[in-house]
Every structure is written in structure tokens, then in C-alpha cells.
Amino acid sequence: MDCRTAQSLINSYIDRSLTIEQVEQFLKHVEHCPSCYDELEINFIVYYALQRLDEDNGKEGTFDMHQLLQEDIKRRRRRVRHSRIKESFLVAMIILAGFLVVLELLETFGILLM
Ligand SMILES: [Zn+2]
């Protein structure tokens, strides 16, 4: 992914409208591209600052935006990983099912395996 693509996805990343594949590619890019990461951080800060103004008006407490973004990235990466594991599991199940079908066919045609 290049910088132009990455930067065009920043808002979608923040409002969570990217697909798992896009999140994966996007994170891969920003983790190695300081200028896109900065861009993401700025947008992230603005987004959360606005949301916070809306949500808990007047509540005390400082919050570390840099850390919030890091936690968000960690969470998203975990989600990407989980989705990958689920996919691998699904593929394994399909292969197993295919294998069972083959076994069934072999048995049907009277070819003994053991
Ligand atoms: Zn970049």
C-alpha cells in the first residue's frame, strides 16, 4: 500500500468502516511509515477529542492520546489475527470435509483402504 492510499483510508479506519483486509494492509503501512502514522494520530486525536466533547461533557481527567491510539492499533491487530485464525480453521474444515467425502466415495466403490 502506498502513502496516498493509506492516507485516504485514515478516516475509514477511525470510523471502523474498513474490511479486515484493508485494516491489515493499512496497519502494515502505518507501522512502517512515520508520516502516515502522524497523519493517523492527528486524525485520531481530533476524532476522539470531538467524541469526548459530545459524550462526557465536563468530566475530569486527562487522557493520553498517543497511548489510546496504540491500544486501538493493538486491538485492531488482534481482530485481524482472530479473523485469520478463523479463516484457517474454516479452510482446514473444508479440506477435512473433502477428505471425508473422498473416503466415502472410495468406500462406496468398494475400494478398501485398510
Ligand atoms: Zn505512508
Side-chain angles (χ1 to χ4, degrees), residues 29-40:
H29 180 87
V30 296
E31 273 161 357
H32 298 105
C33 180
S35 79
C36 286
Y37 186 86
D38 284 350
E39 193 77 19
L40 171 63

mmCIF file of all heavy atoms in Angstrom, residues 29-40:
data_model
loop_
_atom_site.group_PDB
_atom_site.id
_atom_site.type_symbol
_atom_site.label_atom_id
_atom_site.label_comp_id
_atom_site.label_asym_id
_atom_site.label_seq_id
_atom_site.Cartn_x
_atom_site.Cartn_y
_atom_site.Cartn_z
ATOM 1 N N HIS A 29 1.172 -0.698 6.701
ATOM 2 C CA HIS A 29 1.789 0.507 6.154
ATOM 3 C C HIS A 29 2.133 1.527 7.240
ATOM 4 O O HIS A 29 3.271 1.963 7.330
ATOM 5 C CB HIS A 29 0.895 1.155 5.098
ATOM 6 C CG HIS A 29 1.504 2.398 4.514
ATOM 7 N ND1 HIS A 29 2.367 2.361 3.440
ATOM 8 C CD2 HIS A 29 1.424 3.703 4.893
ATOM 9 C CE1 HIS A 29 2.770 3.597 3.180
ATOM 10 N NE2 HIS A 29 2.214 4.434 4.032
ATOM 11 N N VAL A 30 1.139 1.889 8.080
ATOM 12 C CA VAL A 30 1.403 2.968 9.039
ATOM 13 C C VAL A 30 2.460 2.589 10.074
ATOM 14 O O VAL A 30 3.130 3.462 10.614
ATOM 15 C CB VAL A 30 0.124 3.475 9.775
ATOM 16 C CG1 VAL A 30 -0.835 4.096 8.786
ATOM 17 C CG2 VAL A 30 -0.537 2.383 10.564
ATOM 18 N N GLU A 31 2.609 1.302 10.308
ATOM 19 C CA GLU A 31 3.615 0.907 11.290
ATOM 20 C C GLU A 31 5.040 1.134 10.776
ATOM 21 O O GLU A 31 5.971 1.197 11.553
ATOM 22 C CB GLU A 31 3.420 -0.562 11.689
ATOM 23 C CG GLU A 31 2.423 -0.680 12.825
ATOM 24 C CD GLU A 31 1.845 -2.077 12.966
ATOM 25 O OE1 GLU A 31 2.176 -2.940 12.132
ATOM 26 O OE2 GLU A 31 1.073 -2.290 13.883
ATOM 27 N N HIS A 32 5.165 1.228 9.483
ATOM 28 C CA HIS A 32 6.498 1.440 8.927
ATOM 29 C C HIS A 32 6.634 2.784 8.239
ATOM 30 O O HIS A 32 7.626 3.056 7.589
ATOM 31 C CB HIS A 32 6.844 0.311 7.955
ATOM 32 C CG HIS A 32 6.876 -1.023 8.640
ATOM 33 N ND1 HIS A 32 5.860 -1.945 8.490
ATOM 34 C CD2 HIS A 32 7.755 -1.548 9.513
ATOM 35 C CE1 HIS A 32 6.143 -2.996 9.243
ATOM 36 N NE2 HIS A 32 7.276 -2.798 9.877
ATOM 37 N N CYS A 33 5.605 3.605 8.356
ATOM 38 C CA CYS A 33 5.633 4.891 7.671
ATOM 39 C C CYS A 33 5.298 6.004 8.665
ATOM 40 O O CYS A 33 4.135 6.226 8.977
ATOM 41 C CB CYS A 33 4.646 4.875 6.520
ATOM 42 S SG CYS A 33 4.609 6.427 5.630
ATOM 43 N N PRO A 34 6.321 6.648 9.196
ATOM 44 C CA PRO A 34 6.115 7.676 10.222
ATOM 45 C C PRO A 34 5.182 8.800 9.764
ATOM 46 O O PRO A 34 4.386 9.297 10.557
ATOM 47 C CB PRO A 34 7.516 8.236 10.470
ATOM 48 C CG PRO A 34 8.440 7.178 9.996
ATOM 49 C CD PRO A 34 7.739 6.486 8.866
ATOM 50 N N SER A 35 5.239 9.182 8.494
ATOM 51 C CA SER A 35 4.414 10.312 8.092
ATOM 52 C C SER A 35 2.934 9.936 8.059
ATOM 53 O O SER A 35 2.078 10.729 8.433
ATOM 54 C CB SER A 35 4.896 10.904 6.755
ATOM 55 O OG SER A 35 4.447 10.116 5.696
ATOM 56 N N CYS A 36 2.623 8.707 7.626
ATOM 57 C CA CYS A 36 1.229 8.267 7.662
ATOM 58 C C CYS A 36 0.768 8.029 9.097
ATOM 59 O O CYS A 36 -0.383 8.277 9.435
ATOM 60 C CB CYS A 36 1.029 7.004 6.828
ATOM 61 S SG CYS A 36 1.072 7.335 5.064
ATOM 62 N N TYR A 37 1.683 7.542 9.932
ATOM 63 C CA TYR A 37 1.319 7.329 11.324
ATOM 64 C C TYR A 37 0.958 8.650 11.987
ATOM 65 O O TYR A 37 -0.030 8.750 12.709
ATOM 66 C CB TYR A 37 2.465 6.639 12.089
ATOM 67 C CG TYR A 37 2.060 6.279 13.495
ATOM 68 C CD1 TYR A 37 1.407 5.082 13.748
ATOM 69 C CD2 TYR A 37 2.276 7.158 14.549
ATOM 70 C CE1 TYR A 37 0.988 4.759 15.031
ATOM 71 C CE2 TYR A 37 1.861 6.854 15.833
ATOM 72 C CZ TYR A 37 1.223 5.651 16.076
ATOM 73 O OH TYR A 37 0.804 5.348 17.335
ATOM 74 N N ASP A 38 1.769 9.682 11.716
ATOM 75 C CA ASP A 38 1.490 11.003 12.270
ATOM 76 C C ASP A 38 0.134 11.505 11.814
ATOM 77 O O ASP A 38 -0.652 12.036 12.595
ATOM 78 C CB ASP A 38 2.569 12.007 11.831
ATOM 79 C CG ASP A 38 3.853 11.811 12.622
ATOM 80 O OD1 ASP A 38 3.844 11.048 13.610
ATOM 81 O OD2 ASP A 38 4.867 12.422 12.243
ATOM 82 N N GLU A 39 -0.106 11.299 10.537
ATOM 83 C CA GLU A 39 -1.394 11.717 9.959
ATOM 84 C C GLU A 39 -2.544 11.008 10.673
ATOM 85 O O GLU A 39 -3.547 11.608 11.026
ATOM 86 C CB GLU A 39 -1.389 11.354 8.470
ATOM 87 C CG GLU A 39 -2.486 11.985 7.665
ATOM 88 C CD GLU A 39 -2.215 13.452 7.353
ATOM 89 O OE1 GLU A 39 -1.038 13.879 7.454
ATOM 90 O OE2 GLU A 39 -3.163 14.146 7.031
ATOM 91 N N LEU A 40 -2.371 9.705 10.889
ATOM 92 C CA LEU A 40 -3.383 8.913 11.582
ATOM 93 C C LEU A 40 -3.571 9.435 13.003
ATOM 94 O O LEU A 40 -4.690 9.599 13.471
ATOM 95 C CB LEU A 40 -2.958 7.437 11.614
ATOM 96 C CG LEU A 40 -3.809 6.512 12.491
ATOM 97 C CD1 LEU A 40 -5.245 6.439 11.986
ATOM 98 C CD2 LEU A 40 -3.210 5.106 12.527
#
